[in-house]
Amino acid sequence: MSYNKRLSFEFFPPKTESGMVKLRETRSTLGRLSPAFFSVTYGAGGSTRDTTRNAVMDIHSDGYDVAPHLSFGGDDEASVLSLLEDYRQHGIKRIVALRGDMPSGMGMARLVYANELVRFIRHHTGNHFEIEVAAYPEIHPEAKSYEEDIYYLKQKFDDGANSALTQYFYDADAYSWFLESCRHAGITAPIYPGIMPITNYQNLARFSARCGASIPRWVAKQLESYGSKQDDIINFGIELVTRLCENLLAAGAPGLHFYTMNQSEPTSSICSNLGIRAEAG
Ligand code: FAD
């Protein structure tokens, strides 16, 4: 089996120098899998403006394509534009445009919807950036309905986005159904499934409850039964996520976007199972 679709890896910006050193090792390992790009998240409300930029520039200086995530957060138009110009001048060519969430403990008048940010980027920078947006096969937690969430996803494409990366999920049917519904709604752009490898059940359960990603009951029960046996959790997770990726690719996924949590494993093992070969080096 060989893999010939788009591959991308997501990181969060390290807070410390040792975190940055570890991230360099991770990206050098994952870089051998020839990803189309790496992406770096942006903290709620712009809380990681500098660390995201630093990580982006560090990855870019190694010759990789890298996409900063960006949202308005609490910023005004001038600061968002200045960050965009900074990225443009440094040769960054891709942005993941998001609304983001309300930072805890910080009041804010209004969150700027992602489609408005996409429009803003296109207005000020033309076609310089390839724009990725977020999509939710299990539907965004605040969406009023399935149809309405897809309507607003279409809005992001109509305003100039090129493709979407999804929230993670563990039910391949949710993605197939979503793809079909998007096609019916007139969305023709590629929608890349977001893949979350499993390393820690408690963290995954907590985060999933917050972001509206469901963990199938049988998967939760299986993970719970391993207790603190970390190797069993990892091995089960690799097997489960490999099968998920195989099903998604068979269902027409145009590629895969991995939430790596800044670790090369278990993403590398899943990629290897999928026939994604590392270049020598
Ligand atoms: P939007 O597309 O703006 O949608 C938000 C909600 O509003 C949805 O319910 C939608 O149906 C509705 N809506 C959309 N447009 C309109 C409109 N014009 N009028 C009325 N309602 C509307 N968060 C971070 O803080 N930093 C990150 O780096 C980050 N990276 C992410 C990467 C990916 C691939 C994904 C899937 C999510 C990421 N998130 C990140 C989380 C994301 O910010 C949250 O899920 C947030 O709640 C929604 O962002 P969005 O861009 O999808 O919002």
Coordinates of all heavy atoms in Angstrom, one line a residue, residues 117-153:
L117 N -13.1 36.8 8.9 CA -11.6 36.8 8.8 C -11.1 36.4 7.4 O -10.2 37.1 6.9 CB -11.0 35.9 9.9 CG -9.5 35.7 9.9 CD1 -8.8 37.1 10.1 CD2 -9.0 34.8 11.0
V118 N -11.8 35.4 6.9 CA -11.4 35.0 5.5 C -11.6 36.2 4.5 O -10.7 36.5 3.8 CB -12.3 33.8 5.0 CG1 -12.0 33.5 3.5 CG2 -12.0 32.6 5.9
R119 N -12.7 36.9 4.7 CA -13.0 38.0 3.8 C -12.0 39.1 4.0 O -11.5 39.8 3.1 CB -14.4 38.6 4.1 CG -15.1 39.1 2.9 CD -16.5 39.6 3.2 NE -17.3 38.8 4.0 CZ -18.1 39.2 5.0 NH1 -18.2 40.5 5.3 NH2 -18.9 38.4 5.6
F120 N -11.6 39.3 5.3 CA -10.6 40.3 5.7 C -9.2 40.0 5.0 O -8.6 40.9 4.4 CB -10.5 40.4 7.2 CG -9.5 41.4 7.8 CD1 -9.9 42.7 8.0 CD2 -8.2 41.0 8.1 CE1 -9.0 43.6 8.5 CE2 -7.3 41.9 8.6 CZ -7.7 43.2 8.8
I121 N -8.9 38.7 5.1 CA -7.6 38.3 4.5 C -7.6 38.5 3.0 O -6.6 39.1 2.4 CB -7.2 36.9 4.9 CG1 -7.1 36.7 6.4 CG2 -6.0 36.4 4.2 CD1 -7.0 35.2 6.9
R122 N -8.6 38.1 2.4 CA -8.7 38.3 0.9 C -8.7 39.7 0.5 O -8.1 40.1 -0.4 CB -10.0 37.6 0.4 CG -9.9 36.1 0.3 CD -9.0 35.6 -0.8 NE -8.8 34.1 -0.8 CZ -7.7 33.5 -0.6 NH1 -6.6 34.2 -0.4 NH2 -7.6 32.2 -0.5
H123 N -9.4 40.5 1.3 CA -9.5 42.0 1.0 C -8.2 42.6 1.0 O -7.8 43.4 0.2 CB -10.5 42.6 2.0 CG -10.6 44.1 1.8 ND1 -11.3 44.7 0.7 CD2 -10.1 45.2 2.5 CE1 -11.2 46.0 0.8 NE2 -10.4 46.3 1.8
H124 N -7.4 42.3 2.1 CA -6.1 43.0 2.3 C -4.9 42.3 1.6 O -3.9 43.0 1.3 CB -5.8 43.1 3.8 CG -6.7 44.1 4.4 ND1 -6.6 45.4 4.3 CD2 -7.8 43.9 5.2 CE1 -7.6 46.1 5.0 NE2 -8.3 45.1 5.5
T125 N -5.0 41.0 1.3 CA -3.8 40.3 0.8 C -4.1 39.6 -0.5 O -3.3 38.8 -1.0 CB -3.2 39.4 1.8 OG1 -4.1 38.4 2.1 CG2 -2.8 40.1 3.1
G126 N -5.3 39.8 -1.1 CA -5.6 39.2 -2.4 C -5.5 37.7 -2.3 O -5.9 37.0 -1.3
N127 N -4.8 37.1 -3.3 CA -4.7 35.6 -3.4 C -3.3 35.1 -2.8 O -2.9 34.0 -3.1 CB -4.9 35.2 -4.8 CG -6.3 35.2 -5.2 OD1 -7.2 35.1 -4.3 ND2 -6.6 35.5 -6.5
H128 N -2.7 36.0 -2.1 CA -1.4 35.5 -1.6 C -1.4 34.3 -0.8 O -0.7 33.3 -0.9 CB -0.7 36.6 -0.7 CG 0.6 36.2 -0.1 ND1 1.8 36.2 -0.8 CD2 0.9 35.6 1.1 CE1 2.7 35.7 -0.1 NE2 2.2 35.3 1.1
F129 N -2.4 34.2 0.2 CA -2.5 33.0 1.1 C -3.5 32.0 0.6 O -4.5 32.3 0.1 CB -3.0 33.5 2.5 CG -2.0 34.4 3.2 CD1 -2.2 35.7 3.3 CD2 -0.8 33.8 3.8 CE1 -1.3 36.5 4.0 CE2 0.1 34.6 4.5 CZ -0.2 36.0 4.6
E130 N -3.1 30.8 0.8 CA -4.0 29.6 0.7 C -4.7 29.6 2.0 O -4.0 29.6 3.1 CB -3.1 28.4 0.5 CG -3.8 27.1 0.2 CD -4.0 26.9 -1.3 OE1 -3.6 27.7 -2.1 OE2 -4.7 25.9 -1.6
I131 N -6.0 29.6 2.0 CA -6.7 29.7 3.3 C -7.4 28.4 3.7 O -8.3 28.0 2.9 CB -7.7 30.9 3.4 CG1 -7.0 32.2 3.0 CG2 -8.4 31.0 4.7 CD1 -7.9 33.4 3.0
E132 N -7.1 27.9 4.8 CA -7.8 26.7 5.4 C -8.7 27.2 6.4 O -8.4 28.2 7.2 CB -6.8 25.8 6.1 CG -5.5 25.4 5.3 CD -5.8 24.2 4.4 OE1 -6.8 23.4 4.7 OE2 -5.0 24.0 3.5
V133 N -9.9 26.5 6.5 CA -10.8 26.9 7.6 C -11.2 25.6 8.4 O -10.9 24.5 7.9 CB -12.1 27.6 7.1 CG1 -11.8 29.0 6.6 CG2 -12.7 26.8 5.9
A134 N -11.9 25.8 9.5 CA -12.3 24.6 10.3 C -13.7 24.1 9.8 O -14.5 24.9 9.4 CB -12.3 25.0 11.7
A135 N -13.9 22.7 9.9 CA -15.2 22.1 9.6 C -15.4 21.1 10.7 O -14.5 20.6 11.3 CB -15.1 21.5 8.2
Y136 N -16.7 20.8 10.9 CA -17.1 19.9 12.0 C -18.0 18.8 11.6 O -19.3 19.0 11.6 CB -17.8 20.8 13.1 CG -16.8 21.9 13.6 CD1 -16.7 23.1 12.9 CD2 -16.0 21.7 14.7 CE1 -15.9 24.1 13.3 CE2 -15.1 22.7 15.1 CZ -15.1 23.9 14.4 OH -14.2 24.9 14.7
P137 N -17.5 17.6 11.3 CA -18.4 16.5 10.9 C -19.4 16.2 11.9 O -20.5 15.7 11.6 CB -17.4 15.3 10.7 CG -16.1 16.0 10.4 CD -16.1 17.3 11.2
E138 N -19.1 16.4 13.2 CA -20.1 16.1 14.3 C -20.8 17.4 14.7 O -21.5 17.5 15.7 CB -19.5 15.5 15.5 CG -18.9 14.1 15.1 CD -18.4 13.3 16.3 OE1 -17.5 13.8 17.0 OE2 -18.8 12.2 16.5
I139 N -20.6 18.5 13.9 CA -21.2 19.8 14.1 C -20.7 20.6 15.2 O -20.5 20.0 16.3 CB -22.8 19.6 14.1 CG1 -23.2 19.0 12.8 CG2 -23.5 20.9 14.4 CD1 -22.8 19.8 11.5
H140 N -20.4 21.8 15.0 CA -19.8 22.7 16.0 C -20.8 22.8 17.2 O -22.0 22.9 17.0 CB -19.6 24.1 15.4 CG -18.9 25.0 16.3 ND1 -19.6 25.9 17.1 CD2 -17.6 25.2 16.6 CE1 -18.7 26.6 17.8 NE2 -17.5 26.2 17.5
P141 N -20.3 22.8 18.4 CA -21.1 22.7 19.6 C -22.1 23.9 19.7 O -23.2 23.7 20.3 CB -20.2 22.8 20.8 CG -18.8 22.8 20.2 CD -18.9 22.6 18.8
E142 N -21.8 25.0 19.1 CA -22.7 26.2 19.2 C -23.7 26.3 18.1 O -24.6 27.1 18.0 CB -21.9 27.5 19.3 CG -21.1 27.7 20.5 CD -20.1 28.8 20.3 OE1 -20.3 29.8 19.6 OE2 -18.9 28.6 20.8
A143 N -23.5 25.4 17.1 CA -24.4 25.5 15.9 C -25.8 25.2 16.2 O -26.1 24.3 17.0 CB -23.9 24.6 14.8
K144 N -26.7 26.0 15.6 CA -28.2 25.8 15.9 C -28.7 24.5 15.2 O -29.6 23.9 15.7 CB -29.0 27.0 15.4 CG -28.6 28.3 16.1 CD -29.7 29.3 16.0 CE -29.3 30.6 16.7 NZ -28.3 31.4 15.9
S145 N -28.1 24.2 14.1 CA -28.5 22.9 13.4 C -27.4 22.4 12.5 O -26.5 23.2 12.2 CB -29.8 23.2 12.6 OG -29.5 24.0 11.5
Y146 N -27.6 21.2 12.1 CA -26.6 20.5 11.1 C -26.6 21.4 9.9 O -25.5 21.8 9.4 CB -27.2 19.1 10.8 CG -26.2 18.2 10.2 CD1 -25.4 17.4 11.0 CD2 -26.0 18.1 8.8 CE1 -24.5 16.5 10.4 CE2 -25.1 17.3 8.2 CZ -24.3 16.4 9.0 OH -23.5 15.6 8.4
E147 N -27.7 21.7 9.3 CA -27.8 22.5 8.1 C -27.2 23.9 8.2 O -26.5 24.3 7.3 CB -29.3 22.7 7.6 CG -30.0 21.4 7.1 CD -30.3 20.4 8.2 OE1 -30.4 20.9 9.4 OE2 -30.3 19.2 7.9
E148 N -27.4 24.5 9.4 CA -26.9 25.9 9.5 C -25.4 25.9 9.6 O -24.7 26.8 9.1 CB -27.5 26.5 10.8 CG -27.3 28.0 10.7 CD -28.0 28.7 11.9 OE1 -29.2 28.8 11.9 OE2 -27.2 29.2 12.8
D149 N -24.8 24.9 10.3 CA -23.4 24.8 10.4 C -22.8 24.6 9.0 O -21.7 25.3 8.7 CB -23.0 23.7 11.3 CG -21.7 23.9 12.0 OD1 -21.3 25.1 12.2 OD2 -20.9 23.0 12.3
I150 N -23.4 23.8 8.2 CA -22.9 23.6 6.8 C -23.1 24.9 6.0 O -22.2 25.2 5.2 CB -23.5 22.4 6.2 CG1 -23.0 21.1 6.9 CG2 -23.2 22.3 4.7 CD1 -23.6 19.8 6.4
Y151 N -24.2 25.6 6.2 CA -24.4 26.8 5.5 C -23.3 27.8 5.8 O -22.7 28.5 4.9 CB -25.8 27.4 6.0 CG -26.0 28.8 5.5 CD1 -26.6 29.1 4.3 CD2 -25.7 29.9 6.3 CE1 -26.8 30.4 3.9 CE2 -25.9 31.2 5.9 CZ -26.4 31.4 4.7 OH -26.6 32.7 4.2
Y152 N -22.9 27.9 7.1 CA -21.8 28.8 7.5 C -20.4 28.3 7.0 O -19.5 29.1 6.7 CB -21.8 29.1 9.0 CG -22.9 30.0 9.4 CD1 -23.8 29.6 10.3 CD2 -23.1 31.3 8.7 CE1 -24.9 30.5 10.7 CE2 -24.1 32.1 9.1 CZ -25.0 31.7 10.0 OH -26.0 32.5 10.4
L153 N -20.3 27.0 6.9 CA -19.0 26.5 6.3 C -19.0 27.0 4.8 O -17.9 27.4 4.3 CB -19.0 25.0 6.4 CG -17.8 24.3 5.7 CD1 -16.5 24.8 6.2 CD2 -17.9 22.8 5.8

